[in-house]
Amino acid sequence: MDTRDGGSDNRLVAESPFDKVAVIGAGAWGTALAMTAHRAGRRVSLWAREAEIVEAVTSDRRNPFLPDYPLPPEIAVSGDMAAVVADAGLVILVVPSQFLRPMTRAVEAALAPGVPVVICAKGIETDSGKLMSQIVAEEMPGRPQAVLSGPSFAAEVAEGQPTAVTIASEDAVGGAVEATASLAANICLALGSDNFRPYISDDPVGVEVGGAVKNVLAIACGIADGLGMGSNPRAALITRGLAELKRLAEALGGRRETVTGLAGIGDLTLTCSSTQSRNFSFGRALGQGQTPEQALAGKKSVAEGAVNARSVTQLARRLGVEMPICEAVNAILHDGLSIQDAVQALLTRPIKAESRELEPHVTLPHPSAATEPQPNDMV
């Protein structure tokens, strides 16, 4: 590291950020991140699982997952894992959360020791309830890791629209000097450009929880939109959903303040407010009367919230964390609860205080609550 004269803050600036970046996963987001690294001056290779994606990009530089934005010819695209990660100084993992474990095994077998990885998968593993960082720690023991998340639609990033994200690593602690010398800081320097602005965090857990839970909450907002509801319900879902994010993050050792940043409220607001969001669109189709199977049929990309609704709620129950909105989405998707019953149950839950200090002490029966037990008492 090269210490530059930055005055009393004693800033550190990397002499040479990671030169070659390998992106694992050629979906829309992986492709957009490959373009981001290229714009930042890195040499970039992109691994694609599907042979047809490699062929399409090779022939006309267009990925069917992101067809409106041709890849620069300098980005090498291949299905050969060893070739993609060869000489890489940094690997970015951009695969659906439920496929991360087998993918990390494949990457670990081909990757040189000590090369750090950036986790872009958003979710909680089904059954185990483990965060993506825990999976990487198990399957890639001892390897440095960071987490990238934030409000970032792939198409807008590929287009070059201004975007801000959070990059978190555990070594960004101990004061300004250590934070600026951390893995997260070096990744920020490697990926930052005129239109892609990363921020440094030392709370990977908080960042991960924000990325996992916001997809479930986006389904709830989509359902409300599909039902023809207006702005009031969406604002309530986002705000109370944020409270659920804070509770889960804190229970897992993260910080509540992280959830109020880009990887929490930023990503939550974006995902819950636009049909560009796969999860919002999926929920909207449910609200309009489609079954989950109908809403997912024919989609190229995965609605992560449909899977993570179950894993998030299972983890929350295990930890004793109250997450009624996520519980309602899970009950609709996996327990056969009707949307109408879920909405009614949420609206007539006992009245509680909003502030964190008062919340444990105030519980009043809702005046409109039914006297009979509700079909979804867990909501």
Side-chain angles (χ1 to χ4, degrees):
M1 303 293 291
D2 171 44
T3 303
R4 306 283 178 86
D5 184 9
S8 60
D9 60 0
N10 195 19
R11 297 174 186 171
L12 296 181
V13 180
E15 293 178 343
S16 55
F18 305 107
D19 176 54
K20 181 183 176 182
V21 174
V23 180
I24 307 301
W29 186 218
T31 302
L33 283 174
M35 297 171 71
T36 296
H38 172 73
R39 289 178 185 140
R42 311 281 78 82
R43 293 187 297 123
V44 183
S45 57
L46 176 62
W47 180 85
R49 179 179 60 85
E50 304 91 342
E52 60 269 24
I53 298 298
V54 176
E55 181 179 354
V57 176
T58 302
S59 61
D60 67 359
R61 306 306 300 174
R62 291 184 184 272
N63 186 337
F65 285 107
L66 204 61
D68 295 332
Y69 306 97
L71 272 73
E74 294 84 1
I75 297 178
V77 182
S78 172
D80 184 338
M81 179 69 73
V84 168
V85 303
D87 301 322
L90 181 69
V91 171
I92 303 179
L93 303 172
V94 200
V95 295
S97 58
Q98 300 307 317
F99 300 120
L100 182 66
R101 188 178 290 276
M103 187 54 60
T104 54
R105 294 170 182 163
V107 174
E108 180 67 13
L111 188 60
V115 177
V117 296
V118 183
I119 304 166
C120 297
K122 297 180 179 181
I124 293 170
E125 189 176 41
T126 302
D127 298 327
S128 76
K130 291 181 177 178
L131 299 174
M132 301 295 100
S133 58
Q134 293 174 307
I135 294 172
V136 168
E138 290 178 356
E139 302 297 340
M140 310 179 86
R143 193 171 292 281
Q145 60 167 275
V147 178
L148 186 157
S149 190
S152 47
F153 284 141
E156 294 187 10
V157 172
E159 187 180 353
Q161 292 196 30
T163 300
V165 299
T166 299
I167 298 177
S169 64
E170 289 185 347
D171 61 342
V173 294
V177 174
E178 290 82 355
T180 342
S182 69
L183 174 60
N186 281 302
I187 296 170
C188 287
L189 291 170
L191 299 181
S193 65
D194 289 348
N195 49 34
F196 192 81
R197 178 177 176 81
Y199 284 80
I200 299 167
S201 171
D202 63 349
D203 184 16
V205 170
V207 170
E208 282 195 86
V209 171
V213 179
K214 62 96 179 181
N215 286 328
V216 184
L217 299 172
I219 293 176
C221 287
I223 290 173
D225 187 77
L227 289 170
M229 295 181 180
S231 300
N232 291 356
R234 183 183 303 174
L237 287 168
I238 290 174
T239 306
R240 295 311 303 166
L242 181 63
E244 297 187 16
L245 276 172
K246 289 178 179 178
R247 287 195 288 262
L248 185 60
E250 190 172 42
L252 290 169
R255 296 198 302 272
R256 294 170 70 93
E257 68 177 23
T258 301
V259 179
T260 63
L262 288 166
I265 187 62
D267 208 0
L268 179 64
T269 302
L270 182 81
T271 312
C272 292
S273 305
S274 173
T275 54
Q276 287 190 67
S277 163
R278 298 185 298 268
N279 294 283
F280 181 87
S281 295
F282 171 66
R284 190 169 186 264
L286 298 179
Q288 291 173 336
Q290 294 186 29
T291 65
E293 294 74 22
Q294 291 170 333
L296 291 171
K299 299 293 190 299
K300 289 183 179 180
S301 52
V302 178
E304 292 263 41
V307 177
N308 280 297
R310 174 171 285 163
S311 56
V312 165
T313 53
Q314 286 177 342
L315 177 60
R317 292 171 193 169
R318 195 178 309 156
L319 296 170
V321 176
E322 187 180 28
M323 302 185 73
I325 300 172
C326 291
E327 287 279 9
V329 173
N330 179 63
I332 291 168
L333 294 178
H334 303 296
D335 297 333
L337 181 68
S338 74
I339 289 175
Q340 290 72 24
D341 285 342
V343 171
Q344 183 65 17
L346 282 173
L347 289 173
T348 58
R349 291 178 67 246
I351 296 172
K352 297 190 175 183
E354 186 175 44
S355 71
R356 183 183 181 189
E357 292 76 14
L358 284 177
E359 187 178 25
H361 307 292
V362 178
T363 301
L364 303 173
H366 194 285
S368 297
T371 54
E372 295 298 320
Q374 295 298 297
N376 57 329
D377 283 341
M378 76 288 183
V379 173

mmCIF file of all heavy atoms in Angstrom, residues 145-179:
data_model
loop_
_atom_site.group_PDB
_atom_site.id
_atom_site.type_symbol
_atom_site.label_atom_id
_atom_site.label_comp_id
_atom_site.label_asym_id
_atom_site.label_seq_id
_atom_site.Cartn_x
_atom_site.Cartn_y
_atom_site.Cartn_z
ATOM 1 N N GLN A 145 -12.950 -13.127 1.842
ATOM 2 C CA GLN A 145 -14.241 -12.912 1.186
ATOM 3 C C GLN A 145 -14.830 -11.563 1.555
ATOM 4 O O GLN A 145 -14.559 -11.005 2.611
ATOM 5 C CB GLN A 145 -15.227 -14.022 1.559
ATOM 6 C CG GLN A 145 -15.521 -14.127 3.047
ATOM 7 C CD GLN A 145 -16.725 -15.022 3.336
ATOM 8 O OE1 GLN A 145 -17.884 -14.574 3.296
ATOM 9 N NE2 GLN A 145 -16.458 -16.282 3.629
ATOM 10 N N ALA A 146 -15.651 -11.064 0.633
ATOM 11 C CA ALA A 146 -16.395 -9.831 0.843
ATOM 12 C C ALA A 146 -17.790 -10.025 0.266
ATOM 13 O O ALA A 146 -18.052 -10.993 -0.464
ATOM 14 C CB ALA A 146 -15.692 -8.649 0.175
ATOM 15 N N VAL A 147 -18.688 -9.103 0.591
ATOM 16 C CA VAL A 147 -20.070 -9.159 0.125
ATOM 17 C C VAL A 147 -20.398 -7.865 -0.605
ATOM 18 O O VAL A 147 -20.045 -6.776 -0.135
ATOM 19 C CB VAL A 147 -21.041 -9.351 1.307
ATOM 20 C CG1 VAL A 147 -22.482 -9.369 0.822
ATOM 21 C CG2 VAL A 147 -20.725 -10.630 2.067
ATOM 22 N N LEU A 148 -21.043 -7.976 -1.762
ATOM 23 C CA LEU A 148 -21.476 -6.810 -2.534
ATOM 24 C C LEU A 148 -22.990 -6.830 -2.645
ATOM 25 O O LEU A 148 -23.581 -7.827 -3.057
ATOM 26 C CB LEU A 148 -20.834 -6.820 -3.918
ATOM 27 C CG LEU A 148 -21.061 -5.598 -4.836
ATOM 28 C CD1 LEU A 148 -19.948 -5.503 -5.869
ATOM 29 C CD2 LEU A 148 -22.403 -5.631 -5.558
ATOM 30 N N SER A 149 -23.629 -5.711 -2.305
ATOM 31 C CA SER A 149 -25.077 -5.603 -2.411
ATOM 32 C C SER A 149 -25.459 -4.136 -2.495
ATOM 33 O O SER A 149 -24.667 -3.252 -2.190
ATOM 34 C CB SER A 149 -25.758 -6.265 -1.198
ATOM 35 O OG SER A 149 -27.151 -6.377 -1.382
ATOM 36 N N GLY A 150 -26.697 -3.883 -2.905
ATOM 37 C CA GLY A 150 -27.169 -2.509 -2.998
ATOM 38 C C GLY A 150 -28.198 -2.347 -4.097
ATOM 39 O O GLY A 150 -28.471 -3.279 -4.860
ATOM 40 N N PRO A 151 -28.789 -1.167 -4.213
ATOM 41 C CA PRO A 151 -29.847 -0.921 -5.210
ATOM 42 C C PRO A 151 -29.273 -0.850 -6.612
ATOM 43 O O PRO A 151 -28.694 0.165 -7.009
ATOM 44 C CB PRO A 151 -30.439 0.424 -4.769
ATOM 45 C CG PRO A 151 -29.307 1.103 -4.037
ATOM 46 C CD PRO A 151 -28.509 0.027 -3.389
ATOM 47 N N SER A 152 -29.421 -1.919 -7.376
ATOM 48 C CA SER A 152 -28.700 -1.990 -8.656
ATOM 49 C C SER A 152 -29.396 -2.922 -9.633
ATOM 50 O O SER A 152 -29.128 -4.128 -9.649
ATOM 51 C CB SER A 152 -27.263 -2.484 -8.406
ATOM 52 O OG SER A 152 -27.274 -3.627 -7.560
ATOM 53 N N PHE A 153 -30.298 -2.397 -10.429
ATOM 54 C CA PHE A 153 -30.863 -3.184 -11.516
ATOM 55 C C PHE A 153 -29.786 -3.414 -12.572
ATOM 56 O O PHE A 153 -29.085 -2.480 -12.981
ATOM 57 C CB PHE A 153 -32.055 -2.466 -12.154
ATOM 58 C CG PHE A 153 -33.315 -2.518 -11.326
ATOM 59 C CD1 PHE A 153 -34.145 -1.414 -11.244
ATOM 60 C CD2 PHE A 153 -33.675 -3.672 -10.641
ATOM 61 C CE1 PHE A 153 -35.312 -1.446 -10.481
ATOM 62 C CE2 PHE A 153 -34.837 -3.718 -9.880
ATOM 63 C CZ PHE A 153 -35.657 -2.604 -9.802
ATOM 64 N N ALA A 154 -29.670 -4.643 -13.029
ATOM 65 C CA ALA A 154 -28.597 -5.011 -13.956
ATOM 66 C C ALA A 154 -28.627 -4.178 -15.228
ATOM 67 O O ALA A 154 -27.578 -3.726 -15.708
ATOM 68 C CB ALA A 154 -28.701 -6.501 -14.291
ATOM 69 N N ALA A 155 -29.804 -3.966 -15.784
ATOM 70 C CA ALA A 155 -29.894 -3.237 -17.049
ATOM 71 C C ALA A 155 -29.380 -1.808 -16.901
ATOM 72 O O ALA A 155 -28.689 -1.283 -17.786
ATOM 73 C CB ALA A 155 -31.333 -3.242 -17.556
ATOM 74 N N GLU A 156 -29.688 -1.166 -15.794
ATOM 75 C CA GLU A 156 -29.246 0.212 -15.592
ATOM 76 C C GLU A 156 -27.736 0.276 -15.362
ATOM 77 O O GLU A 156 -27.071 1.214 -15.804
ATOM 78 C CB GLU A 156 -30.005 0.840 -14.425
ATOM 79 C CG GLU A 156 -31.489 0.999 -14.720
ATOM 80 C CD GLU A 156 -32.223 1.787 -13.642
ATOM 81 O OE1 GLU A 156 -31.547 2.379 -12.764
ATOM 82 O OE2 GLU A 156 -33.463 1.815 -13.671
ATOM 83 N N VAL A 157 -27.186 -0.730 -14.671
ATOM 84 C CA VAL A 157 -25.728 -0.786 -14.494
ATOM 85 C C VAL A 157 -25.051 -1.009 -15.841
ATOM 86 O O VAL A 157 -24.050 -0.362 -16.175
ATOM 87 C CB VAL A 157 -25.355 -1.893 -13.495
ATOM 88 C CG1 VAL A 157 -23.836 -2.098 -13.453
ATOM 89 C CG2 VAL A 157 -25.877 -1.556 -12.102
ATOM 90 N N ALA A 158 -25.589 -1.913 -16.645
ATOM 91 C CA ALA A 158 -25.013 -2.174 -17.965
ATOM 92 C C ALA A 158 -25.087 -0.937 -18.854
ATOM 93 O O ALA A 158 -24.169 -0.665 -19.634
ATOM 94 C CB ALA A 158 -25.752 -3.341 -18.623
ATOM 95 N N GLU A 159 -26.142 -0.177 -18.715
ATOM 96 C CA GLU A 159 -26.298 1.041 -19.501
ATOM 97 C C GLU A 159 -25.326 2.129 -19.062
ATOM 98 O O GLU A 159 -25.041 3.063 -19.819
ATOM 99 C CB GLU A 159 -27.741 1.535 -19.375
ATOM 100 C CG GLU A 159 -28.083 2.708 -20.277
ATOM 101 C CD GLU A 159 -29.532 3.155 -20.114
ATOM 102 O OE1 GLU A 159 -30.298 2.468 -19.405
ATOM 103 O OE2 GLU A 159 -29.896 4.190 -20.717
ATOM 104 N N GLY A 160 -24.827 2.003 -17.845
ATOM 105 C CA GLY A 160 -23.896 3.004 -17.330
ATOM 106 C C GLY A 160 -24.558 4.083 -16.506
ATOM 107 O O GLY A 160 -23.969 5.148 -16.292
ATOM 108 N N GLN A 161 -25.780 3.817 -16.019
ATOM 109 C CA GLN A 161 -26.431 4.804 -15.161
ATOM 110 C C GLN A 161 -25.737 4.843 -13.799
ATOM 111 O O GLN A 161 -25.219 3.836 -13.321
ATOM 112 C CB GLN A 161 -27.910 4.456 -14.990
ATOM 113 C CG GLN A 161 -28.727 4.609 -16.258
ATOM 114 C CD GLN A 161 -30.213 4.646 -15.975
ATOM 115 O OE1 GLN A 161 -30.650 5.093 -14.923
ATOM 116 N NE2 GLN A 161 -31.010 4.174 -16.923
ATOM 117 N N PRO A 162 -25.720 6.008 -13.150
ATOM 118 C CA PRO A 162 -25.066 6.112 -11.840
ATOM 119 C C PRO A 162 -25.657 5.121 -10.838
ATOM 120 O O PRO A 162 -26.881 5.032 -10.695
ATOM 121 C CB PRO A 162 -25.348 7.558 -11.419
ATOM 122 C CG PRO A 162 -25.529 8.292 -12.714
ATOM 123 C CD PRO A 162 -26.205 7.318 -13.635
ATOM 124 N N THR A 163 -24.784 4.389 -10.175
ATOM 125 C CA THR A 163 -25.192 3.346 -9.241
ATOM 126 C C THR A 163 -24.277 3.357 -8.029
ATOM 127 O O THR A 163 -23.063 3.513 -8.175
ATOM 128 C CB THR A 163 -25.131 1.956 -9.920
ATOM 129 O OG1 THR A 163 -26.011 1.937 -11.054
ATOM 130 C CG2 THR A 163 -25.536 0.862 -8.951
ATOM 131 N N ALA A 164 -24.853 3.185 -6.841
ATOM 132 C CA ALA A 164 -24.072 3.080 -5.619
ATOM 133 C C ALA A 164 -24.386 1.757 -4.934
ATOM 134 O O ALA A 164 -25.553 1.358 -4.848
ATOM 135 C CB ALA A 164 -24.373 4.248 -4.672
ATOM 136 N N VAL A 165 -23.352 1.073 -4.463
ATOM 137 C CA VAL A 165 -23.510 -0.204 -3.778
ATOM 138 C C VAL A 165 -22.665 -0.202 -2.517
ATOM 139 O O VAL A 165 -21.860 0.701 -2.293
ATOM 140 C CB VAL A 165 -23.092 -1.389 -4.683
ATOM 141 C CG1 VAL A 165 -23.951 -1.452 -5.941
ATOM 142 C CG2 VAL A 165 -21.610 -1.306 -5.033
ATOM 143 N N THR A 166 -22.837 -1.235 -1.704
ATOM 144 C CA THR A 166 -22.012 -1.438 -0.517
ATOM 145 C C THR A 166 -21.167 -2.685 -0.699
ATOM 146 O O THR A 166 -21.671 -3.721 -1.170
ATOM 147 C CB THR A 166 -22.889 -1.603 0.738
ATOM 148 O OG1 THR A 166 -23.657 -0.415 0.930
ATOM 149 C CG2 THR A 166 -22.039 -1.850 1.965
ATOM 150 N N ILE A 167 -19.902 -2.603 -0.333
ATOM 151 C CA ILE A 167 -19.007 -3.761 -0.327
ATOM 152 C C ILE A 167 -18.490 -3.919 1.097
ATOM 153 O O ILE A 167 -17.908 -2.993 1.664
ATOM 154 C CB ILE A 167 -17.848 -3.591 -1.317
ATOM 155 C CG1 ILE A 167 -18.409 -3.461 -2.744
ATOM 156 C CG2 ILE A 167 -16.873 -4.765 -1.228
ATOM 157 C CD1 ILE A 167 -17.361 -3.205 -3.812
ATOM 158 N N ALA A 168 -18.728 -5.094 1.678
ATOM 159 C CA ALA A 168 -18.421 -5.309 3.079
ATOM 160 C C ALA A 168 -17.424 -6.449 3.254
ATOM 161 O O ALA A 168 -17.531 -7.484 2.602
ATOM 162 C CB ALA A 168 -19.699 -5.637 3.855
ATOM 163 N N SER A 169 -16.472 -6.245 4.152
ATOM 164 C CA SER A 169 -15.563 -7.304 4.580
ATOM 165 C C SER A 169 -15.283 -7.134 6.063
ATOM 166 O O SER A 169 -15.302 -6.016 6.581
ATOM 167 C CB SER A 169 -14.253 -7.278 3.785
ATOM 168 O OG SER A 169 -13.532 -6.074 4.023
ATOM 169 N N GLU A 170 -15.037 -8.221 6.744
ATOM 170 C CA GLU A 170 -14.867 -8.171 8.190
ATOM 171 C C GLU A 170 -13.597 -7.442 8.610
ATOM 172 O O GLU A 170 -13.490 -6.996 9.743
ATOM 173 C CB GLU A 170 -14.862 -9.585 8.767
ATOM 174 C CG GLU A 170 -16.230 -10.254 8.734
ATOM 175 C CD GLU A 170 -16.236 -11.601 9.415
ATOM 176 O OE1 GLU A 170 -15.124 -12.109 9.696
ATOM 177 O OE2 GLU A 170 -17.334 -12.144 9.651
ATOM 178 N N ASP A 171 -12.624 -7.317 7.709
ATOM 179 C CA ASP A 171 -11.364 -6.684 8.106
ATOM 180 C C ASP A 171 -11.432 -5.159 8.051
ATOM 181 O O ASP A 171 -10.458 -4.488 8.384
ATOM 182 C CB ASP A 171 -10.200 -7.178 7.242
ATOM 183 C CG ASP A 171 -10.382 -6.859 5.762
ATOM 184 O OD1 ASP A 171 -11.510 -6.571 5.348
ATOM 185 O OD2 ASP A 171 -9.377 -6.918 5.032
ATOM 186 N N ALA A 172 -12.589 -4.610 7.649
ATOM 187 C CA ALA A 172 -12.721 -3.145 7.612
ATOM 188 C C ALA A 172 -13.118 -2.639 8.993
ATOM 189 O O ALA A 172 -14.174 -2.055 9.201
ATOM 190 C CB ALA A 172 -13.761 -2.732 6.574
ATOM 191 N N VAL A 173 -12.249 -2.892 9.974
ATOM 192 C CA VAL A 173 -12.531 -2.493 11.350
ATOM 193 C C VAL A 173 -11.283 -1.879 11.972
ATOM 194 O O VAL A 173 -10.185 -1.985 11.434
ATOM 195 C CB VAL A 173 -12.973 -3.706 12.210
ATOM 196 C CG1 VAL A 173 -14.290 -4.253 11.732
ATOM 197 C CG2 VAL A 173 -11.909 -4.796 12.190
ATOM 198 N N GLY A 174 -11.451 -1.235 13.112
ATOM 199 C CA GLY A 174 -10.302 -0.779 13.879
ATOM 200 C C GLY A 174 -9.889 0.640 13.608
ATOM 201 O O GLY A 174 -8.833 1.067 14.042
ATOM 202 N N GLY A 175 -10.681 1.410 12.870
ATOM 203 C CA GLY A 175 -10.316 2.793 12.619
ATOM 204 C C GLY A 175 -10.165 3.079 11.149
ATOM 205 O O GLY A 175 -10.192 2.198 10.302
ATOM 206 N N ALA A 176 -9.976 4.353 10.840
ATOM 207 C CA ALA A 176 -9.971 4.798 9.449
ATOM 208 C C ALA A 176 -8.848 4.157 8.656
ATOM 209 O O ALA A 176 -9.032 3.761 7.502
ATOM 210 C CB ALA A 176 -9.860 6.319 9.383
ATOM 211 N N VAL A 177 -7.649 4.057 9.210
ATOM 212 C CA VAL A 177 -6.513 3.512 8.462
ATOM 213 C C VAL A 177 -6.766 2.068 8.086
ATOM 214 O O VAL A 177 -6.617 1.659 6.931
ATOM 215 C CB VAL A 177 -5.218 3.637 9.297
ATOM 216 C CG1 VAL A 177 -4.070 2.936 8.583
ATOM 217 C CG2 VAL A 177 -4.862 5.092 9.501
ATOM 218 N N GLU A 178 -7.204 1.245 9.066
ATOM 219 C CA GLU A 178 -7.449 -0.164 8.778
ATOM 220 C C GLU A 178 -8.592 -0.336 7.780
ATOM 221 O O GLU A 178 -8.529 -1.183 6.894
ATOM 222 C CB GLU A 178 -7.769 -0.914 10.082
ATOM 223 C CG GLU A 178 -6.588 -1.075 11.015
ATOM 224 C CD GLU A 178 -6.330 0.158 11.868
ATOM 225 O OE1 GLU A 178 -7.025 1.185 11.665
ATOM 226 O OE2 GLU A 178 -5.434 0.122 12.722
ATOM 227 N N ALA A 179 -9.643 0.458 7.919
ATOM 228 C CA ALA A 179 -10.788 0.334 7.020
ATOM 229 C C ALA A 179 -10.385 0.629 5.585
ATOM 230 O O ALA A 179 -10.832 -0.024 4.650
ATOM 231 C CB ALA A 179 -11.909 1.279 7.458
#
